[in-house]
Amino acid sequence: MAVDSESKPSSKPLVGTQQTQTAGDKAFQGLASLIKLLPTGTVFLFQFLSPVLTNNGHCSPINKFLTGALLFFSGLSCVFSCFTDSYTGKDGRIHYGVVTTKGLWAFSDPDAKSMDLSPYKLQLGDFAHALLALIVFAVVALFDSNTVGCYYSSFETEQKALLMALPPVVGAISSTVFVVFPNTRHGIGYPATPATAVEESFVAV
């Protein structure tokens, strides 16, 4: 049965539309990859409270104060999480603690004093990861429409250009940091590793 060639839909996509979607998708994928570098709880709390505290981007002075407090404590949480780590205790449970110059200060493990936690001690890379987490959170906050509307509404027209430019730039910086300072931490807000993985990750220390 012959089919009229003129009735067939064109298999060629619209060039302009495809380029726009591809660029946008890559930008959002880049942003999603960056968000993975942040503690999940902090990101969720920020995205949940931001519309409430900013009044959906229409800020009064009190809204600006509350939003500023949210930004400050969220950024502080991202930095703090980089100085925490986890390990599997003798009871088989995952325990968290704060890294120190001598090892790991455990929160609630009664057997911590009988364990050698010195491999978890503070390292130079922890400061690099903390700075990186703060930068990534600043990018996330910058892309939040409520934050933009609250503090710098006139900046919204340039937000799309930054959306395309910032994720690749920060992603390149992130890659460099993780090459120079590999991250073996699994602190608060990040997925913990099984016992074998935790032990193996510090064999070479």
Side-chain angles (χ1 to χ4, degrees):
M1 180 178 178
V3 179
D4 188 0
S5 60
E6 293 182 357
S7 63
K8 293 182 179 179
S10 175
S11 60
K12 295 182 179 180
L14 296 176
V15 176
T17 303
Q18 184 182 21
Q19 289 179 344
T20 302
Q21 290 178 345
T22 302
D25 290 343
K26 287 182 178 180
F28 281 108
Q29 288 173 1
L31 183 59
S33 299
L34 294 180
I35 291 177
K36 293 178 182 178
L37 301 177
L38 301 177
T40 54
T42 300
V43 175
F44 173 79
L45 187 64
F46 172 77
Q47 293 178 338
F48 177 75
L49 292 179
S50 177
V52 178
L53 297 183
T54 61
N55 191 26
N56 292 316
H58 302 86
C59 285
S60 64
I62 187 64
N63 290 123
K64 290 186 177 182
F65 173 78
L66 293 174
T67 303
L70 175 64
L71 291 170
F72 174 79
F73 285 109
S74 296
L76 185 64
S77 175
C78 292
V79 172
F80 173 74
S81 295
C82 293
F83 295 97
T84 62
D85 209 340
S86 62
Y87 66 96
T88 302
K90 293 181 179 180
D91 55 1
R93 299 173 58 184
I94 299 295
H95 296 276
Y96 292 90
V98 177
V99 298
T100 67
T101 54
K102 296 182 179 180
L104 189 69
W105 178 60
F107 293 141
S108 59
D109 184 10
D111 299 321
K113 293 182 179 180
S114 63
M115 300 178 63
D116 181 18
L117 300 178
S118 58
Y120 297 86
K121 64 184 178 181
L122 188 66
Q123 301 174 1
L124 180 61
D126 296 326
F127 295 95
H129 296 147
L131 178 60
L132 179 63
L134 188 60
I135 293 174
V136 171
F137 175 73
V139 173
V140 172
L142 179 65
F143 288 160
D144 182 69
S145 59
N146 297 312
T147 305
V148 173
C150 183
Y151 287 105
Y152 36 89
S153 56
S154 61
F155 192 62
E156 289 188 73
T157 54
E158 300 178 16
Q159 190 178 5
K160 293 182 179 179
L162 282 173
L163 181 63
M164 299 298 178
L166 276 182
V169 172
V170 179
I173 296 175
S174 304
S175 300
T176 304
V177 170
F178 280 105
V179 168
V180 179
F181 303 105
N183 187 17
T184 57
R185 302 284 185 200
H186 300 275
I188 298 174
Y190 298 95
T193 55
T196 53
V198 173
E199 293 171 0
E200 292 174 357
S201 63
F202 287 98
V203 168
V205 177

